[in-house]
Amino acid sequence: MSHYHFEIKSGTRGSTAEHVAYITRKGSHAKREDLIATEHGNMPEWAKDDPEIFWKASDKYERKNASPYRDITISLPNALIPEQNVELARDLMKVVAGSKPFQFAVHISDSSLEGESNPHVHAMISDRMPDGIERAPEQTFRRHDPIHPQRGGRKKGSGGLNRMQMRDHVLSSRKIVADTINAALEKHGHDLRVDHRSLREQGKQREPERYLGPARIRTMSDVQKKKHVSERIFGRRADRKRTGT
């Protein structure tokens, strides 16, 4: 079973420019040499060639308590070569972004605790759905007018969902993402698979492994790294012993 990590968070106003720089490795993040590819799609005409214009407008014009973007991180299989993982990232955008404006960046870092590469994709997705109406940047992010849509902004894809509905959406997204990753693994001849279910749902009794991320790993001492790796290996062995696999 390959490692699986899927995380979705709401971006906050004022953080957009810095987050774009972070995932695309610009500015103070340029010294990191783990960027493999960055692409964007579904942008309005005024940001078609430069997605940063869209994100800056979202940060400026989105309503005060609204999120200018969804921040998604998905682990990619290190069994796939970089070109295959970029192809997989494109496929993942089709299922998690759909027709919404998005930008993604694929990173392959070498800060894994167990000495393996750590490929993953960062995605920024806007909830503002396209509807065929051309709007200026400031109008794009206004409140949607269902009676006269040309007078208001784009409708939000997440609008009207309560807490339980949002939870169900995240759970269904986890499965769709896992299915997409497994399809890529099968396509390229690998037997590895990922599982979106919790350890309890899989019948495993150990505690879930904490996703530390490259930044946290770089701050850990050698002793902390060895301890964490030992705990992971012990937990996996216990699982195999219990299940006979």
Side-chain angles (χ1 to χ4, degrees), residues 4-201:
Y4 178 69
H5 175 75
F6 173 87
E7 182 180 24
I8 179 169
K9 297 184 292 186
S10 294
T12 56
R13 290 189 66 184
S15 70
T16 306
E18 174 61 20
H19 195 66
V20 171
Y22 171 74
I23 71 170
T24 58
R25 299 311 196 220
K26 293 182 179 179
S28 62
H29 307 285
K31 60 184 178 181
R32 301 188 182 188
E33 299 179 349
D34 59 353
L35 177 66
I36 301 302
T38 179
E39 299 180 10
H40 63 276
N42 302 331
M43 291 290 167
E45 194 63 32
W46 48 267
K48 190 173 182 179
D49 298 322
D50 188 352
E52 290 188 33
I53 296 176
F54 180 86
W55 301 122
K56 289 178 180 177
S58 174
D59 210 23
K60 181 177 181 180
Y61 298 117
E62 191 62 79
R63 298 198 309 274
K64 183 176 181 180
N65 296 323
S67 173
Y69 64 94
R70 301 296 175 188
D71 174 18
I72 297 179
T73 305
I74 305 171
S75 58
L76 302 172
N78 56 24
L80 300 182
I81 63 175
E83 292 79 7
Q84 293 168 346
N85 269 324
V86 173
E87 178 186 15
L88 172 55
R90 295 189 189 110
D91 290 339
L92 288 169
M93 290 306 101
K94 293 175 184 177
V95 299
V96 298
S99 62
K100 297 177 182 179
F102 71 87
Q103 183 172 10
F104 75 80
V106 175
H107 299 165
I108 300 183
S109 61
D110 58 358
S111 58
S112 172
L113 287 171
E114 298 180 53
E116 298 177 341
S117 63
N118 177 32
H120 53 281
V121 57
H122 290 280
M124 297 174 68
I125 300 174
S126 170
D127 278 336
R128 294 289 182 170
M129 303 285 291
D131 56 8
I133 299 174
E134 289 296 328
R135 297 177 176 87
E138 61 271 20
Q139 184 185 356
T140 299
F141 303 98
R142 288 178 186 166
R143 186 181 298 276
H144 176 66
D145 186 337
I147 300 176
H148 304 288
Q150 70 277 8
R151 298 179 185 176
R154 286 186 173 191
K155 184 178 181 179
K156 280 201 162 187
S158 61
L161 298 182
N162 59 38
R163 187 182 296 272
M164 287 301 296
Q165 289 171 323
M166 285 296 294
R167 174 182 175 275
D168 290 342
H169 172 70
V170 172
L171 291 176
S172 64
S173 296
R174 285 182 59 84
K175 184 181 186 307
I176 293 172
V177 166
D179 290 343
T180 305
I181 293 173
N182 287 334
L185 287 167
E186 182 178 7
K187 174 182 176 180
H188 296 291
H190 296 283
D191 293 329
L192 288 172
R193 296 292 183 268
V194 299
D195 197 323
H196 69 284
R197 298 174 300 168
S198 67
L199 291 175
R200 179 176 296 179
E201 290 171 328

